[in-house]
Amino acid sequence: MSILRAGKLALVTGAGSGIGREVCRVLAREGANVVAADQNITTAQETVAFLEGTEHIALHINVEDRNSVKTAFKDVVKQYLKPPTIIVNSAGIVRKMFLMKPDDSNFDDVINVNLKGTFLVTQIAVNMLMEGNANTNSSIINISSIAANGRYVGYSTYNASKAGVIAMTKSASLELGQFGIRVNAVLPGFIDTPMISHISEEAREMHINNIPLQRFGKPEEVAEVIVFLASDRSSYINGASIEVTGGLI
């Protein structure tokens, strides 16, 4: 039995790979119509190609750019005649850079994608929901990270961007709950996705030794939590930050 209401429309950013792609798969499995949005339209199309059902589309989106986000949402409404009531902000990048080394370009990239991008998608989605009288029982899920606790050396900007997502999620939940829009965050730990493919075998072993479950997580293990938060089964969860880390703190 599906945990989503029939005909639910979901938009997922960062849908071309990793957690975003897996979220699309689980949403489609549960009967949602999925908009797989990504800056790389080719990978978004690849995601759509293996989803269950036929009412799915791939969409180009640059989450850093307000006009791109607006255009994407207008295209969705034009296609489906309604705005998406499930929004998953999964677009994200990670860059290693030490605090003492000046690197404005990388700083801007990380903040603009991870934090500003989440803000723009959320803001424009909410405005569309309100204009379309579709706000009741809507759900926004933001992807933060266990790195938001700031314990990883060399990732101060990434850590800060993900901590900002948590703070913004909490504030948004207070602001939007009265309109029937829930906003929650998921904090993955080390998940086996392309984002951590650069980690050496030595580093992988070190991190695994620090995880109580003694392994990296799978994208589907994060996706199942996200889809739960998108469903009515989580109807009284609002403003929460849920860790999916195998016990890593």
Side-chain angles (χ1 to χ4, degrees):
M1 181 178 178
S2 173
I3 68 171
L4 296 177
R5 295 185 185 183
K8 275 282 191 177
L9 179 60
L11 183 144
V12 181
T13 69
S17 65
I19 292 172
R21 173 171 285 182
E22 194 61 24
V23 170
C24 291
R25 186 188 69 81
V26 179
L27 284 166
R29 183 197 71 195
E30 295 299 323
N33 297 326
V34 176
V35 178
D38 200 285
Q39 189 166 13
N40 186 332
I41 188 62
T42 300
T43 58
Q45 290 168 338
E46 290 169 356
T47 294
V48 168
F50 77 89
L51 299 182
E52 293 180 33
T54 59
E55 299 300 316
H56 314 300
I57 62 170
L59 195 66
H60 173 267
I61 192 169
N62 177 2
V63 297
E64 305 172 68
D65 182 76
R66 180 178 294 275
N67 288 331
S68 175
V69 177
K70 279 185 175 180
T71 298
F73 274 90
K74 286 178 181 177
D75 289 346
V76 172
V77 173
K78 183 178 180 180
Q79 173 81 14
Y80 292 97
L81 304 179
K82 61 182 180 180
T85 56
I86 297 170
I87 307 294
V88 182
N89 281 303
S90 185
I93 60 173
V94 61
R95 303 274 172 81
K96 186 172 185 177
M97 49 184 171
F98 291 96
L99 194 63
M100 304 255 322
K101 181 181 178 181
D103 196 340
D104 290 352
S105 177
N106 273 335
F107 178 91
D108 290 344
D109 287 346
V110 171
I111 295 297
N112 285 341
V113 174
N114 296 354
L115 186 56
K116 182 183 177 183
T118 298
F119 171 79
L120 288 176
V121 172
T122 298
Q123 184 186 65
I124 291 165
V126 168
N127 285 331
M128 285 280 191
L129 287 168
M130 299 296 284
E131 289 170 10
N133 294 316
N135 44 290
T136 304
N137 295 321
S138 295
S139 181
I140 298 171
I141 302 100
N142 299 324
I143 310 303
S144 178
S145 169
I146 195 63
N149 64 20
R151 67 189 292 260
Y152 298 106
V153 175
Y155 295 93
S156 57
T157 302
Y158 179 76
N159 298 346
S161 72
K162 292 302 188 177
V165 168
I166 294 174
M168 184 165 58
T169 296
K170 187 64 177 178
S171 294
S173 73
L174 299 174
E175 199 172 321
L176 302 174
Q178 62 185 309
F179 304 115
I181 302 172
R182 296 184 296 111
V183 189
N184 293 290
V186 173
L187 283 60
F190 285 94
I191 308 299
D192 224 345
T193 69
M195 186 173 278
I196 64 167
S197 60
H198 65 284
I199 296 177
S200 68
E201 284 302 316
E202 182 182 7
R204 286 175 71 95
E205 185 177 345
M206 178 191 70
H207 290 307
I208 287 171
N209 287 337
N210 290 328
I211 299 169
L213 290 185
Q214 293 289 287
R215 64 175 177 84
F216 284 174
K218 301 173 185 177
E220 57 264 34
E221 292 175 307
V222 182
E224 294 288 356
V225 176
I226 291 169
V227 175
F228 166 72
L229 290 172
S231 76
D232 289 344
R233 293 187 184 181
S234 62
S235 57
Y236 204 57
I237 300 177
N238 187 35
S241 296
I242 299 177
E243 297 180 3
V244 187
T245 68
L248 180 69
I249 59 173

PDB file of all heavy atoms in Angstrom, residues 43 45 116 122 148 182 200 244:
ATOM      1  N   THR A  43      21.595  13.835 -17.030  1.00  0.00           N
ATOM      2  CA  THR A  43      21.482  12.907 -15.904  1.00  0.00           C
ATOM      3  C   THR A  43      20.064  12.898 -15.337  1.00  0.00           C
ATOM      4  O   THR A  43      19.595  11.864 -14.851  1.00  0.00           O
ATOM      5  CB  THR A  43      22.499  13.247 -14.798  1.00  0.00           C
ATOM      6  OG1 THR A  43      22.287  14.600 -14.346  1.00  0.00           O
ATOM      7  CG2 THR A  43      23.922  13.094 -15.291  1.00  0.00           C
ATOM      8  N   GLN A  45      17.372  13.215 -17.155  1.00  0.00           N
ATOM      9  CA  GLN A  45      16.644  12.352 -18.091  1.00  0.00           C
ATOM     10  C   GLN A  45      16.945  10.882 -17.825  1.00  0.00           C
ATOM     11  O   GLN A  45      16.061  10.024 -17.939  1.00  0.00           O
ATOM     12  CB  GLN A  45      17.011  12.735 -19.524  1.00  0.00           C
ATOM     13  CG  GLN A  45      16.458  14.086 -19.943  1.00  0.00           C
ATOM     14  CD  GLN A  45      17.055  14.588 -21.253  1.00  0.00           C
ATOM     15  OE1 GLN A  45      18.140  14.168 -21.658  1.00  0.00           O
ATOM     16  NE2 GLN A  45      16.352  15.491 -21.908  1.00  0.00           N
ATOM     17  N   LYS A 116      21.825  29.134  -0.510  1.00  0.00           N
ATOM     18  CA  LYS A 116      20.983  30.028  -1.315  1.00  0.00           C
ATOM     19  C   LYS A 116      20.044  29.226  -2.208  1.00  0.00           C
ATOM     20  O   LYS A 116      18.868  29.588  -2.370  1.00  0.00           O
ATOM     21  CB  LYS A 116      21.844  30.959  -2.162  1.00  0.00           C
ATOM     22  CG  LYS A 116      21.032  31.949  -2.989  1.00  0.00           C
ATOM     23  CD  LYS A 116      21.929  32.799  -3.879  1.00  0.00           C
ATOM     24  CE  LYS A 116      21.093  33.729  -4.760  1.00  0.00           C
ATOM     25  NZ  LYS A 116      21.963  34.518  -5.686  1.00  0.00           N
ATOM     26  N   THR A 122      12.760  26.922  -2.033  1.00  0.00           N
ATOM     27  CA  THR A 122      11.712  26.934  -1.011  1.00  0.00           C
ATOM     28  C   THR A 122      10.820  28.159  -1.165  1.00  0.00           C
ATOM     29  O   THR A 122       9.586  28.057  -1.164  1.00  0.00           O
ATOM     30  CB  THR A 122      12.333  26.915   0.394  1.00  0.00           C
ATOM     31  OG1 THR A 122      13.086  25.702   0.555  1.00  0.00           O
ATOM     32  CG2 THR A 122      11.264  26.985   1.467  1.00  0.00           C
ATOM     33  N   ALA A 148      26.977  19.445   9.556  1.00  0.00           N
ATOM     34  CA  ALA A 148      26.525  20.716  10.127  1.00  0.00           C
ATOM     35  C   ALA A 148      27.011  20.921  11.553  1.00  0.00           C
ATOM     36  O   ALA A 148      27.034  22.047  12.055  1.00  0.00           O
ATOM     37  CB  ALA A 148      24.999  20.797  10.086  1.00  0.00           C
ATOM     38  N   ARG A 182       4.552  21.860   5.823  1.00  0.00           N
ATOM     39  CA  ARG A 182       5.554  21.364   6.768  1.00  0.00           C
ATOM     40  C   ARG A 182       6.943  21.461   6.141  1.00  0.00           C
ATOM     41  O   ARG A 182       7.109  21.229   4.945  1.00  0.00           O
ATOM     42  CB  ARG A 182       5.268  19.911   7.143  1.00  0.00           C
ATOM     43  CG  ARG A 182       3.952  19.717   7.888  1.00  0.00           C
ATOM     44  CD  ARG A 182       3.737  18.284   8.332  1.00  0.00           C
ATOM     45  NE  ARG A 182       3.614  17.355   7.215  1.00  0.00           N
ATOM     46  CZ  ARG A 182       4.497  16.424   6.891  1.00  0.00           C
ATOM     47  NH1 ARG A 182       5.611  16.282   7.600  1.00  0.00           N
ATOM     48  NH2 ARG A 182       4.291  15.608   5.875  1.00  0.00           N
ATOM     49  N   SER A 200      39.757   8.358  -0.131  1.00  0.00           N
ATOM     50  CA  SER A 200      40.697   7.243  -0.274  1.00  0.00           C
ATOM     51  C   SER A 200      40.226   6.041   0.546  1.00  0.00           C
ATOM     52  O   SER A 200      39.411   6.172   1.468  1.00  0.00           O
ATOM     53  CB  SER A 200      42.084   7.672   0.203  1.00  0.00           C
ATOM     54  OG  SER A 200      42.083   7.891   1.608  1.00  0.00           O
ATOM     55  N   VAL A 244      20.392  10.526   9.625  1.00  0.00           N
ATOM     56  CA  VAL A 244      20.447   9.205   9.010  1.00  0.00           C
ATOM     57  C   VAL A 244      21.933   8.899   8.843  1.00  0.00           C
ATOM     58  O   VAL A 244      22.533   9.117   7.788  1.00  0.00           O
ATOM     59  CB  VAL A 244      19.715   9.174   7.657  1.00  0.00           C
ATOM     60  CG1 VAL A 244      19.649   7.742   7.113  1.00  0.00           C
ATOM     61  CG2 VAL A 244      18.312   9.756   7.775  1.00  0.00           C
TER      62      VAL A 244
END
